[in-house]
Every structure is written in C-alpha cells, then in structure tokens.
Amino acid sequence: MPEITYVAVDGAVCSVEVPLGTSVMRGAVFNDIDGIVAQCGGNAQCATCHVYVDETSLDALERARPEEEHMLGFTAADRLPNSRLSCQLKVTGALDGLIVHLPERQY
C-alpha cells in the first residue's frame, strides 16, 4: 500500500499506509488524523478536507477538475498554488510517499 504522510500545523508528522483507490481524505479519517474534517464525506462540496501538497509531491498528482477548483475558492485557510481537496486525491501507486500539510483551520 502507498504511504501518505500528513504534517500538522505544529509540525507533528503521521505516515500511514492507505489502500489503493482510497482518497487521501479517507486515509486521514480512517487513521484518526486531526485536521481533516470532511463534512461532506468526500463529495467535493465543502472544502473541509483542504490540504497543501508538499512541493516534492506535486508532479505525482493529476490536475484538479473544475468542481475541485471551484470549491478551493471556499477554503477557510488561505488558498495557495499547492492547495488541493484531499477527497479528490485518489491514492495510486504513483502517490506512494505523498506528503500533505494540513492548514491551520478547515472552517
């Protein structure tokens, strides 16, 4: 299984194995990682699973679809060029080693 690393605002690091086909958001929820609220359950409708993808991991991602781009306009924390909704990041073998940084707030 690919390993995804979640970095909290305080610098705490948690690396977990996430099953293929699962979202980065579900990986956080299933492993009780604080900082991803996921109010809509992964439907790209709330922006409470916002993450900042580490610069070293950006090339492994597919481009954001229009509905994700739209919802990124509603994040509670600042939107940056590396902002993504973790519910829209499907775990594939190419994401092994993905690092995401959690924002200071989700809503």
Side-chain angles (χ1 to χ4, degrees), residues 50-54 77-80 82-83 99-103:
H50 174 219
V51 295
Y52 300 115
V53 177
D54 194 86
D78 290 340
R79 179 182 180 176
L80 301 175
N82 60 334
S83 288
I99 301 168
V100 295
H101 299 266
L102 305 174

Side-chain angles (χ1 to χ4, degrees), residues 19-20 65 70 86 93:
L20 292 171
R65 295 183 311 191
H70 174 74
S86 60

Side-chain angles (χ1 to χ4, degrees), residues 2-99:
E3 184 177 85
I4 309 296
T5 299
Y6 302 84
V7 182
V9 174
D10 66 3
V13 174
C14 183
S15 296
V16 297
E17 290 185 343
V18 180
L20 292 171
T22 304
S23 68
V24 171
M25 178 213 74
R26 292 249 181 250
V29 171
F30 291 159
N31 289 283
D32 296 320
I33 295 171
D34 289 332
I36 295 193
V37 178
Q39 283 182 319
C40 74
N43 296 304
Q45 297 177 347
C46 69
T48 61
C49 66
H50 174 219
V51 295
Y52 300 115
V53 177
D54 194 86
E55 300 293 329
T56 62
S57 300
L58 285 173
D59 291 340
L61 303 178
E62 292 183 13
R63 293 178 55 114
R65 295 183 311 191
E67 51 273 2
E68 180 182 358
E69 286 288 344
H70 174 74
M71 287 310 302
L72 284 167
F74 299 97
T75 59
D78 290 340
R79 179 182 180 176
L80 301 175
N82 60 334
S83 288
R84 294 296 299 266
L85 297 181
S86 60
C87 70
Q88 298 302 296
L89 302 176
K90 300 300 178 207
V91 176
T92 65
L95 293 190
D96 187 33
L98 177 73
I99 301 168

